[in-house]
Amino acid sequence: MNEFRFIGAAARNVFMPMAKKVLTRRNILHYGGGFTLIAGGLITVQAFRTGVWETGTGPAYKPWLDWNTDRSKTLMPMVRAGILASNNHNTQPWRFAVRRRSILLYADTTRALSKYDPFMRELWISLGCVIENMDITARAQGFTPTLQYAQGRLPARPGENGLSLAAKLNVTKSRKRYLKRYAVIPSRRTNRGPYKERRVRKSFLEKLTVIGNADPDIQMKFYESGGQRQQIDNLILSATRDMVLDTEMMAEQRAWLRLNQDEIEKFRDGPTIDTLGLHKFSLAVAKMLPDPDPDEMDENWFETTRNIHLGTSSAIGLFSMRDPYNKAQCIRLGRIWQKIHLICTIEHMAVQPLNQPFKMVDRELQRRQDPRNRRLIAELIGDEKWHGAFAFRIGRAFYEANPSPRRPASDVVIT
Ligand SMILES: Cc1cc2nc3c(=O)[nH]c(=O)nc-3n(C[C@H](O)[C@H](O)[C@H](O)COP(=O)(O)O)c2cc1C
């Protein structure tokens, strides 16, 4: 029995009878910090003694700590930075072939989400995030990178081994250049907790808007208040409801969710309970309780989207693209997202993608359903040349987010 299961069993035996009514994982996940006081007297001592407060420790998190300790003359430091990138559902859909002066980045389509991302659009955006980290790291290592992206449209046709070449990165020797963004590569996190309702500084949003509009095939706009903000909130919320009602999508989402330390150590991927954005104490309590009922978790996700993700965010950003199924455009969008995320990290601003509407556009297309989400997004954007592709919230977080697990670089390198 591992530590967490032991704690769970102890908590169940000792505290459950009296706590049964109020302390369910559902309530904790739902109300978060609200249960801090109720739970406090019950478990503080136990939790301190057993290390439930510890999150993000152990081998599954080592890649965040030793990412820049490689002193070899190889290009491995770039891979080690690449794997720390933001990526869809933490599926880590990548493989790297490392040569003396180049790296081939492959989409690992065996890790694609067939319901959640049926055309691999988000998978390719994720590879763009990886490339951004590799590019910044190449410069810090004293190289000038040049990049070639795969051409054509999605879905990517995989080779026999499930791999599809996404990009080739060549480097030539130059002077070392440390960007501020390089230093924050290991501290970037997706923050799913509550944000302070204070408005984000206008000049900062303007700075991000310039970055979000630097590519001629990609545009980005913030929605802060008024009718359009209401429209995008409704859009995200109704798409969340669509997903909750789609049993196949929910089953796929759950299959990647790592609810205990054993699963985290075994798979070193997927979202974990540590990354749900709970306050430290609520998280400790949630970890001690039995696994939640899947249906309750789905309903809880809907409520959290409404009350926390949309309810506490002063601004929502929306990226649109000329062609959301163009491989190179997806990669370039990923690079911009990663850049924005790193800049937000420097400024202690929290962000979280909220991509339910675009996942639903693809799902409706896959199932040949009425394209309701596509229609609603088109109404919001109001220009048929542009297609919504990625949304996120931004704000100042109440709590720091925890890291998500990563497979080590050595596991994802091929010869
Ligand atoms: C293309 C893409 C889509 C994503 N969609 C969502 C989303 O809809 N909701 C969410 O909470 N996080 C989303 N994320 C964030 C990932 O889940 C997150 O990056 C991943 O779990 C790893 O965690 P980390 O960013 O803290 O390293 C997305 C990230 C990418 C790159």
Side-chain angles (χ1 to χ4, degrees), residues 135-259:
D135 185 294
I136 298 168
T137 305
R139 291 166 204 280
Q141 299 289 320
F143 295 113
T144 299
T146 48
L147 279 143
Q148 290 165 276
Y149 301 140
Q151 298 301 311
R153 301 190 89 229
L154 294 169
R157 198 166 301 135
E160 266 174 42
N161 50 6
L163 303 182
S164 175
L165 183 64
K168 183 171 184 192
L169 190 147
N170 292 304
V171 297
T172 49
K173 254 309 198 194
S174 68
R175 196 169 50 83
K176 287 189 179 181
R177 271 191 68 205
Y178 292 100
L179 300 175
K180 271 192 193 166
R181 279 178 276 138
Y182 173 71
V184 296
I185 284 175
S187 38
R188 183 206 57 80
R189 310 270 181 266
T190 298
N191 194 317
R192 299 189 178 86
Y195 297 174
K196 296 172 186 167
E197 281 172 55
R198 196 165 3 119
R199 288 187 65 179
V200 180
R201 222 175 343 109
K202 198 163 173 271
S203 58
F204 187 62
L205 293 184
E206 280 167 2
K207 177 179 165 174
L208 298 185
T209 305
V210 170
I211 296 166
N213 287 279
D215 184 305
D217 292 324
I218 295 163
Q219 64 175 18
M220 196 267 279
K221 179 179 170 178
F222 280 109
Y223 298 85
E224 290 186 83
S225 56
Q228 284 205 318
R229 169 64 201 263
Q230 194 58 53
Q231 223 177 323
I232 194 165
D233 281 13
N234 291 345
L235 181 64
I236 291 168
L237 206 56
S238 74
T240 309
R241 173 58 75 206
D242 291 343
M243 288 173 74
V244 167
L245 294 174
D246 187 324
T247 48
E248 288 183 343
M249 283 183 105
M250 286 299 98
E252 187 168 65
Q253 186 185 57
R254 261 178 246 132
W256 284 86
L257 196 59
R258 312 299 175 216
L259 284 172

